[in-house]
Amino acid sequence: MKIFIAAHAGFCKGVQRAVRIAEDAAAQAQGPVFTLGPLIHNPRVVRTMHERGVRTAPGPDFDFPANATVVLPSHGTPAHVMQALQERGLTLVQAACPRVLAVHERIKKALAQGRSVFLAGDPGHTEAAAAASLDPARITVAASPRDVQRANPPDAPSFLAAQTTFSPAIFRAIDKELSQRIWDLDVFDSLCGHTLSAQQAAARLAAQCSIMVVVGGGKSANTERLREACKSACARVRRVDSASALRRAMFRADDRVGITAGASTPPEHIREVRDWLCARFEID
């Protein structure tokens, strides 16, 4: 067996930043510290944060103590939710990825210009919901070109951006569909560079391996995109939260095993998978 780790696997700068902000808040705050929902889409990291004093509130209606500090998640927070928390007198700490916040600023600018706004993204994803909350009546979230067709966009000045972890191929298809319908379309390619590099590196490695292991949370859109990228080039792909989900029967002694990981996966989780394989198959 041979083991390879993809380039650009694991934590991105935005996630590292969010975790650091939450840890600093726990160290400095006078009262209890909560994240609004999971800080990032990785249950193991969330559990570790809890052990360090950062609890998880299930939602904005949670009964926060009066002196609580609330860390806002890396994917962004709907505008009306932030306003409601501020009105309750809670201390808010922004941990959203700067790239996510940049999308919000560009959307605000487009709205101020009178443009209709389209966001290529997953409607149920936290990031898309946060962006759409800036003006629900004028922002359309589209997960596919068909969604654009259903929306029947007006031939008026419009703006298109993307959920940062969205599929590049679908984003381009939505861009093409809108460009055929709208004469004045301002397009902001807001896809995360780390995400794109990780997907490309994973696909290249998958083409050279007999099995790929994708490490990351099951609710992580970023991890799911990696899994899809690997499946495009490798017949055997396993997505796991941790090495504890692996079984020896999944592998063959002559396998070329590739490992990649979502942007919410810390490096030690990648090492755990590699070490598990080395121990089971007696690899130095």
Side-chain angles (χ1 to χ4, degrees):
M1 176 180 287
K2 292 186 178 181
I3 301 170
F4 307 89
I5 297 177
H8 309 289
F11 264 1
C12 68
K13 290 181 180 179
V15 169
Q16 286 179 315
R17 176 178 176 274
V19 171
R20 184 178 67 250
I21 287 173
E23 290 177 341
D24 289 346
Q28 298 169 12
Q30 298 300 311
V33 176
F34 297 84
T35 61
L36 185 62
L39 180 68
I40 60 176
H41 290 153
N42 188 309
R44 292 186 66 193
V45 173
V46 170
R47 287 195 295 270
T48 300
M49 297 298 296
H50 183 84
E51 293 167 0
R52 296 175 181 174
V54 181
R55 310 175 206 176
T56 302
D61 295 330
F62 181 75
D63 187 17
F64 293 101
N67 61 341
T69 293
V70 182
V71 181
L72 303 177
S74 59
H75 290 293
T77 304
H80 64 278
V81 171
M82 285 195 289
Q83 181 178 349
L85 293 173
Q86 289 170 336
E87 290 173 352
R88 292 169 63 181
L90 297 165
T91 300
L92 304 186
V93 176
Q94 183 59 268
C97 173
R99 182 175 290 271
V100 170
L101 296 179
V103 175
H104 291 193
E105 291 306 311
R106 288 292 297 268
I107 288 176
K108 291 176 185 177
K109 180 180 178 181
L111 291 170
Q113 294 172 341
R115 292 178 179 270
S116 297
V117 173
F118 295 87
L119 181 73
D122 301 310
H125 194 278
T126 307
E127 183 181 334
S133 74
L134 296 172
D135 192 335
R138 295 171 59 196
I139 300 174
T140 299
V141 179
S144 69
R146 183 172 296 181
D147 288 341
V148 173
Q149 295 167 0
R150 291 196 190 102
N152 192 26
D155 187 11
S158 300
F159 173 79
L160 170 66
Q163 176 184 316
T164 60
T165 58
F166 198 58
S167 162
I170 300 178
F171 174 61
R172 288 193 292 270
I174 290 173
D175 181 4
K176 181 178 180 181
E177 179 68 29
L178 284 172
S179 296
Q180 293 173 347
R181 293 165 172 256
I182 298 172
W183 63 274
D184 182 2
L185 179 66
D186 181 13
V187 180
F188 177 39
D189 186 349
S190 50
L191 294 168
C192 173
H194 175 93
T195 297
L196 296 178
S197 296
Q199 290 174 8
Q200 291 166 355
R204 286 195 300 269
L205 180 58
Q208 304 169 32
C209 293
S210 53
I211 182 171
M212 287 292 296
V213 178
V214 182
V215 189
K219 294 184 178 181
S220 165
N222 175 279
T223 302
E224 175 59 21
R225 302 298 181 204
L226 277 179
R227 189 184 70 86
E228 292 171 358
C230 292
K231 286 185 68 175
S232 69
C234 181
R236 296 161 61 209
V237 179
R238 297 281 185 170
R239 200 280 312 163
V240 297
D241 288 314
S242 68
S244 63
L246 297 174
R247 298 291 180 269
R248 202 180 191 287
M250 296 177 181
F251 304 93
R252 299 189 292 258
D254 61 348
D255 268 333
R256 291 172 60 86
V257 183
I259 302 172
T260 188
S264 299
T265 304
E268 57 267 28
H269 294 184
I270 301 172
R271 290 194 294 269
E272 286 175 5
V273 170
R274 180 201 61 196
D275 292 347
W276 186 95
L277 289 165
C278 288
R280 299 305 185 283
F281 292 90
E282 300 180 352
I283 302 171
D284 294 331

